[in-house]
Amino acid sequence: MFALTRRYYVQLSENRVRVRDLDSGRECERRAEPPFSHPRMLVADFSAAEACLKGALRELGSGGLALKTEVLMHPLDRLEGGLTPIESRCLEELGAGCGAGKVCVWTGARLGDSEARSRLDGG
């Protein structure tokens, strides 16, 4: 199967990622081993977080080719006081390191598929 764009909604919590394919509705949740979180930071070990996210995307196995990949990164833990620019950049780089050409970061309530698509579209 060939798709012009693949879109994923990634929820990150302590040492865990949940990825939802916004086109197929398929979902995968994966616990990090080794852990990537620290009591003060959601992503303290970038390499471990990247490996966990890549594993979840691989497990989801969307199959087929896509010209573009877009990811909405949604941190769920360690948000007291909001994200710092460094934390936002870390999440953007995490998505890019997994092959996304477009990465958006969302902090707020959990989103449904149409809301996540809207956030990726800039809404």
Side-chain angles (χ1 to χ4, degrees):
M1 177 183 175
F2 180 77
L4 292 177
T5 304
R6 295 251 186 245
R7 296 171 147 203
Y8 299 101
Y9 176 35
V10 177
Q11 296 175 337
L12 293 115
S13 53
E14 184 178 341
N15 297 313
R16 185 181 307 263
V17 296
R18 173 178 281 166
V19 179
R20 184 164 177 83
D21 182 323
L22 294 172
D23 299 313
S24 70
R26 294 177 54 218
E27 192 170 88
C28 173
E29 185 170 335
R30 191 171 181 120
R31 185 142 181 86
E33 192 52 53
F36 59 75
S37 296
H38 180 276
R40 291 188 318 250
M41 295 183 73
L42 179 58
V43 178
D45 185 331
F46 186 88
S47 296
E50 186 177 49
C52 185
L53 180 54
K54 282 182 178 180
L57 290 168
R58 197 170 33 253
E59 188 177 319
L60 194 56
S62 294
L65 299 171
L67 293 177
K68 285 184 356 183
T69 300
E70 299 178 353
V71 175
L72 180 64
M73 303 293 283
H74 186 181
L76 300 175
D77 293 331
R78 313 273 192 313
L79 294 171
E80 299 78 19
L83 292 179
T84 66
I86 289 174
E87 291 168 316
S88 292
R89 174 78 184 267
C90 176
L91 295 172
E92 291 167 4
E93 294 291 331
L94 190 58
C98 291
K102 178 179 182 178
V103 181
C104 298
V105 177
W106 165 251
T107 56
R110 293 177 196 244
L111 303 172
D113 290 357
S114 62
E115 296 167 314
R117 277 190 216 93
S118 176
R119 292 286 170 199
L120 283 168
D121 291 337

